[in-house]
Amino acid sequence: DLTGANLEGANLTEAYLTNASLNDANLNSSNLTRAKIYHADVSGAEMQELNLTDAEIFGTGISIGGE
């Protein structure tokens, strides 16, 4: 459970975040290269400037692009 965690700038390369709770977490500038993010709850999380290179994202509220 990473609810409310401050992960700003964290290196989460190749992390497995299956069914993770990231509610209200700060993920700004985090490196999620090649991470596996399946069915994670990211409601209320801050997600600016993420590195999602080759990440696998399914069933998770992360979308690419736009303001």
Side-chain angles (χ1 to χ4, degrees):
D1 183 0
L2 295 169
T3 299
N6 182 3
L7 299 170
E8 184 170 2
N11 183 0
L12 299 170
T13 299
E14 298 183 358
Y16 288 87
L17 296 170
T18 302
N19 297 315
S21 178
L22 295 163
N23 305 69
D24 302 314
N26 179 352
L27 294 166
N28 293 334
S29 302
S30 293
N31 182 357
L32 290 159
T33 299
R34 294 183 304 279
K36 312 273 192 274
I37 308 168
Y38 306 139
H39 306 287
D41 187 350
V42 295
S43 58
E46 295 179 44
M47 296 181 279
Q48 299 292 317
E49 305 296 323
L50 293 179
N51 182 346
L52 295 169
T53 303
D54 297 326
E56 296 179 16
I57 304 168
F58 298 102
T60 299
I62 296 176
S63 59
I64 307 300
E67 288 286 323

